[in-house]
Amino acid sequence: MDSNHSATRRVASFEIFYTQFLSQDGEARGDLPAFAKDVEQLRAMYQLMIRTRAFDKKAVALQRTGQLGTYAACLGQEAIGVAIGHALKADDVFIPAYREYAAQFARGVPMRDILLYWGGDERGMNYDSGPSMLDFPLSVPIGTHVPQSIGVGYAFKLRKEPRVVLVSCGDGATSKGDFYEAVSSAKVWNLPIVFLVSNNGWAISLPFNRQTGAETVAQKAFAGGMPGEQVDGNDVIATRFVLERAIERARRGEGPSLVEAVTYRLHDHTTADDARRYRSAEEVEAAWDRCPVKRYKAWLENSGHWSAADEEALQTEATATAEAAAQEFLKIEAQAPESIFDHLYATLPKTLEWQRDEVAARGPIAGAH
Amino acid sequence: MDSNHSATRRVASFEIFYTQFLSQDGEARGDLPAFAKDVEQLRAMYQLMIRTRAFDKKAVALQRTGQLGTYAACLGQEAIGVAIGHALKADDVFIPAYREYAAQFARGVPMRDILLYWGGDERGMNYDSGPSMLDFPLSVPIGTHVPQSIGVGYAFKLRKEPRVVLVSCGDGATSKGDFYEAVSSAKVWNLPIVFLVSNNGWAISLPFNRQTGAETVAQKAFAGGMPGEQVDGNDVIATRFVLERAIERARRGEGPSLVEAVTYRLHDHTTADDARRYRSAEEVEAAWDRCPVKRYKAWLENSGHWSAADEEALQTEATATAEAAAQEFLKIEAQAPESIFDHLYATLPKTLEWQRDEVAARGPIAGAH
Amino acid sequence: MAAQNLALIEAINLALKSEMARDENVVVLGEDIGRNGGVFRATVGLLDTFGGDRVIDTPLAETLVAAMAIGLSTQGLKPVAEIQFSGFMYPCVDQVVNHATRLRNRTRGRLSCPMVIRAPNGGGIHAPEHHSESLETTFAQMAGLRVVAPSNPARAYGLLLAAIRDPDPVIFLEPTRCYRLFKQPVEDDGEALPLDTCFIDREGSDITLVSWGAMMHDTRLAADALAEEGISAEVVDVATLKPLDMDTILTSVAKTGRCVIVQESPRAGGWASEIAANLAEHGLLSLFAPVLRVSGYDTIMPLARQERVYIPDTERILKEVRKVFDAAPKG
Amino acid sequence: MAAQNLALIEAINLALKSEMARDENVVVLGEDIGRNGGVFRATVGLLDTFGGDRVIDTPLAETLVAAMAIGLSTQGLKPVAEIQFSGFMYPCVDQVVNHATRLRNRTRGRLSCPMVIRAPNGGGIHAPEHHSESLETTFAQMAGLRVVAPSNPARAYGLLLAAIRDPDPVIFLEPTRCYRLFKQPVEDDGEALPLDTCFIDREGSDITLVSWGAMMHDTRLAADALAEEGISAEVVDVATLKPLDMDTILTSVAKTGRCVIVQESPRAGGWASEIAANLAEHGLLSLFAPVLRVSGYDTIMPLARQERVYIPDTERILKEVRKVFDAAPKG
Ligand SMILES: Cc1ncc(C[n+]2csc(CCOP(=O)(O)OP(=O)(O)O)c2C)c(N)n1
Ligand SMILES: Cc1ncc(C[n+]2csc(CCOP(=O)(O)OP(=O)(O)O)c2C)c(N)n1
Ligand SMILES: [Mg+2]
Ligand SMILES: [Mg+2]
């Protein structure tokens, strides 16, 4: 841009900020947010992180032994889920992508449901307890759920309810038109929405620098005139702080914003993927140094909030919890074959009854379970 | 954004510039671009502007008298079309929206073809002379043509041809996902594309400030990490200057960019619309003061490049040219009814021959022409 | 309340007004539906009566319109979205099929999408390119959805009320060229029509003519012409295309032994084929003659000058009816 | 060149390699098709052989993929786009129907879109949600398009070559669960198969079984089972779904007098209905019995545990065949 030309003047400018409290080695920088004074909360956040990691490990093991379908691990991204889970209020609505299991657990989704879902059973989306009853099931068609947040946020605004919707997606999703149709319009109605993008550097095999020409995801917020910011998504303190700030701003009626949580996917994309085809061992190894668990644990320990005994007890409990969920999942009875008609419409149209009857008459099918 | 927090640092910043050479009253500001030294070009630009306005008037008149279908006038936006027409090279490709008739005329589209198109005849898209033979027909489904530019630009790059694609759309189109999928990705391949958005303040009845939360269209470029800038789209000198700069930058391999040409739609949206329903007479009247013709004419006259005699001759010629095009349009023979099968496939599949035969056997249909 | 004589577009407007007054959860959304009252004026007056919170002008983004309706519907609102022309509904397809139709099923009934997407459908008004397409089959294929295509003002009113009150997503396709073609007494009685039953538009004994939407008009004219020749045509209006009530059609064909189906959309893969396939399965033994379809051609919808070449008319309907009687003469 | 024994996915890969070597204008594009070689490995090795300019990893944006293919095709290139699963093709629909299928018609032949969009189609591999849909009818409805659904490696090879060389847009739907189900000798002879003729997969005289794509496999098994009972089934593979070659099917039905059509997609509005409708129109007099359709149910495709409840199998095919013989016994 030939900006010095006398016929040219600057009409707008924009900035992107990045927030990090805990360094890679678990050193704190700056004044920590208020919630960091509450040791019980700090410990709860860590516990959720570890339970999630244990769950993740168990789910992968189930898949590897043929007891679960394709599974998308959240290894390395647990801090984001924990931050969401702690930042949202009970009557907010969460519209998740598929790697925020920690947030779903925090909101009441039983671990069993996540296994059921990836095990190929619709009942894994019938979250029936706690705040998650209000939440959307995860969306496999990437990014398509993002504009649905506009309708949810609009409903809150219309009813003057002080509620917020948080919708999350990955960096890959930010290439989809659906994402932008939401971003472009959210501020038109000044809706109480937080767009959270977990930028883990990869969309299956596509690195972020081939995904878009943009340097950051955060700047995509400007397409809608919203604030956009980056946070270290492997720093659970920073992520919770930034998300809470965005959520409470939205709740106060100050409108939508976009948060880019910079993280890294330590696992293959899913259990059906082999990431060694497209990224180097060195890259992954280096990313382990930025692992959210390691850093948070170091800081908790250094701050005197966590002990080796705590750790041992938690690890044992987390493994047992994941194991129990797995057993619950493995023991669940199959749905009746004709259940495929149960929730097609509120009431099955009579023209479809013969189809249900045919299925019911046939009984169990080999290969269905 | 709590940008002063010690845990927070700035990681990126962006600016939008606005360019205007000719003030509303036709006063020049700053050093004019080099092309402004070529009086013949300056006069040609004015001539094209006036011919386009005369055409537009004739087209509206044809519609009002039942001789043309719905027509989208370009009144008030002629400078943009003129600038495009003069900025593109013959072997560049233009993918137009529907109000840049001036550009289409400059590239060789006969006025008759535009009338045929709005008259409901496919032959109005068979541009068969000059650079326009390479161009796309206009796209009625708003914004859907924009990502097609990615394929065209990619082909140029693949073949190492020094060609550029210019794709234009309106402010309304910038709400469509299609627009963003192109903007987000163009720089991934550093493609030779210029995205031109004619922001005329309205998308039918929706004003720009209800179209998006963004303050400018230009900033939407940042979603793709591209440069974005604003220009006074009613200043033909500035618009051509800015477009040429963007086009030549793209041609040199320096990648895509987005230009927002700020203008105003002086006419109803189309002849099927009544803009009085949704905007005030005062607003429209004020916009007439910014009319691109008035301003350019004043400057040309003050600069001694244009006389009253020139004006009179041009007006007469322009009216006659539009009239001649109208006559040509009105006299054109109907396509044969079975021509609806002529270009369905390269060769009509034999399973469809009976349908064509049925139509051919039936002969002319009442109401078809 | 006395019946008013209304055009179809006015009946749509009346149904919207009536239901918005009755149920404060009903909201309308779409492009240019507020101050402008909709490009066809279906939403005229709603903004003034119900305010900008419930009458939502959206940005120019059809995926967003569908997605927003989904979001609204999950929160207990009843969104009625307008798409300006059915040819611009394609960007809604992904949202409808991958989300709206299946949210109830996915969550085993926990969440659902009671929403309506309305659009004018079909050609015949000399509109610009892409403004004259017929989209019913695109949607009628989708499980978990209802598709409705009314053919006259009274049915438009009653079916739109039913669509809004239905607990599942409904695609509501209005016959563009019938918007102002004729008027009919419509009573604003708040009575919904059933969403799963064909209408017997006219009783007859010699042949069953089946159609829906705008083509019903030409089908009625064809029945008139046949009546003059002494042929008694039963006319079935399949206004509720999906789920499809074949019982009514089969009962009619069992009586008449002959059937011609009339649709405006291209022939291949149209809803006429679905009906004919059901007849080939369940009605074969009652059929005296082949089931014939009158349809648009398998071409791109021509621009305005040739649209009448494409759209079936009474002459084409009668031609196919004659073929049926040639194959199986009356009496 | 000697024939190699190949699985269907390998035949696809071979056709791509072969045609990219033969014609430098062929480019492939899609998500994860480059270094990763495609989620099903259809494009393995192409990046190394043909380089990153011609093997284009795209951002995660299906509308863009379709639109980019359109743009490339207008410039004399021959794009072959991959969509990872057919359930993610919906965002391509608008670009395909509103642009690709009609650019030739709109410009009276001046511009055209010789392009292919490939995707795996159908269920049966226990894949996650939205990975098992059947999309053929969504596209087969569209005028100006070709839709191809091969059922074995040799046809996949020959039809993909034909699709790439065709001057018009082609949707190429590959049977996901047959990708590695069986192998077959495939010769890399560069010979394309015709795009407008059904294959007589097996000759027979008592009944015509019609299918395409993955369901061909079960249909062949059903024919085997019938042969053991002394029933001779003619099996027709409608691999080129659109435009539809009814002649071959009608000729077969004229011979056998009985027909069952097998499809995986939901029943209502599926391509089986189109075929049955044509039989009801042109084949009525040769039919001894109703035309029956075996299909997926009119439900959302169930998640993996129940997918076998939904997908037709040999047992369901045989059940309908028996109904046909009950209605019109052999002999
Ligand atoms: C619309 C759509 N296209 C393609 C896919 C296949 N797919 C599943 S995940 C994925 C990558 C997603 O990347 P990102 O959004 O960054 O999320 P991440 O997996 O990294 O968490 C792709 C291409 C899909 N599920 N949906
Ligand atoms: C996809 C789509 N949706 C809706 C329409 C109807 N429509 C035609 S023009 C228009 C407004 C376009 O506004 P803008 O892009 O600003 O262009 P302008 O008319 O102002 O030049 C609308 C909504 C359409 N043609 N295509
Ligand atoms: Mg990612
Ligand atoms: Mg505009």
Side-chain angles (χ1 to χ4, degrees), chain B residues 64-83:
Chain B
R64 299 289 189 228
T65 51
Q67 299 172 91
L68 190 70
T70 302
Y71 171 74
C74 66
L75 190 70
Q77 304 183 211
E78 299 92 342
I80 298 171
V82 170

Side-chain angles (χ1 to χ4, degrees), chain B residues 98-99 140-142 170-173 176 200 202-204 265 269, chain C residues 31-32 60 62 84 88:
Chain B
Y98 46 83
R99 295 194 204 275
V140 162
I142 299 296
D171 48 309
K176 290 278 293 183
N200 62 9
W202 293 91
I204 309 186
R265 163 164 67 72
H269 169 66
Chain C
E31 297 160 14
D32 305 293
L60 206 174
E62 284 79 10
Q84 287 189 343
F88 306 138

Side-chain angles (χ1 to χ4, degrees), chain A residues 6 38 97 99 178 184 200 207 222 244 249 258-260 271 288 311 330 349 363:
Chain A
S6 58
D38 182 338
R99 296 194 203 274
D178 303 56
S184 179
N200 63 7
F222 304 148
E244 259 177 10
R249 193 168 48 212
L258 188 153
V259 174
E260 172 187 5
T271 52
W288 271 102
E311 182 70 15
L330 291 170

Side-chain angles (χ1 to χ4, degrees), chain A residues 83-300:
Chain A
I84 297 168
H86 281 261
L88 284 176
K89 297 235 161 93
D91 65 352
D92 292 338
V93 166
F94 179 36
I95 307 185
Y98 47 83
R99 296 194 203 274
E100 292 103 10
Y101 306 121
Q104 295 191 287
F105 298 152
R107 291 181 62 77
V109 176
M111 287 182 174
R112 179 207 56 205
D113 280 10
I114 305 295
L115 294 174
L116 272 174
Y117 179 72
W118 293 110
D121 191 317
E122 286 79 3
R123 288 172 297 182
M125 294 178 280
N126 180 22
Y127 317 144
D128 58 3
S129 62
S132 71
M133 291 172 73
L134 302 172
D135 295 345
F136 281 40
L138 57 80
S139 169
V140 162
I142 299 295
T144 53
H145 57 307
V146 179
Q148 294 166 10
S149 67
I150 299 287
V152 176
Y154 193 96
F156 295 166
K157 181 143 198 224
L158 179 71
R159 292 181 166 148
K160 302 193 169 54
E161 296 169 346
R163 298 166 68 190
V164 174
V165 49
L166 186 143
V167 59
S168 66
C169 66
D171 47 310
T174 69
S175 289
K176 291 277 292 182
D178 303 56
F179 171 81
Y180 290 105
E181 291 198 5
V183 164
S184 179
S185 61
K187 199 164 167 255
V188 167
W189 298 290
N190 217 36
L191 298 178
I193 305 178
V194 176
F195 298 94
L196 168 64
V197 180
S198 296
N199 184 352
N200 63 7
W202 293 90
I204 310 187
S205 71
L206 200 69
F208 182 63
N209 67 357
R210 306 294 298 164
Q211 186 67 249
T212 175
E215 302 81 350
T216 69
V217 168
Q219 73 203 54
K220 292 172 188 272
F222 304 148
M226 290 190 287
E229 64 178 309
Q230 277 191 328
V231 65
D232 183 341
N234 288 1
D235 172 355
V236 71
I237 302 280
T239 307
R240 176 172 164 180
F241 170 72
V242 164
L243 278 183
E244 259 177 10
R245 187 170 58 183
I247 289 169
E248 294 315 320
R249 193 168 48 212
R251 201 184 306 285
R252 288 194 305 272
E254 293 167 32
S257 60
L258 188 153
V259 174
E260 172 187 5
V262 180
T263 182
Y264 192 84
R265 160 164 68 73
L266 289 170
H267 198 267
D268 296 331
H269 169 66
T270 64
T271 52
D273 175 50
D274 180 356
R276 288 169 305 183
R277 289 202 193 106
Y278 52 79
R279 65 185 190 184
S280 69
E282 296 76 56
E283 175 179 318
V284 180
E285 210 164 304
W288 271 102
D289 290 340
R290 303 193 301 274
C291 163
V293 171
K294 178 180 152 244
R295 149 179 355 188
Y296 189 43
K297 181 167 173 245
W299 177 76
L300 278 181

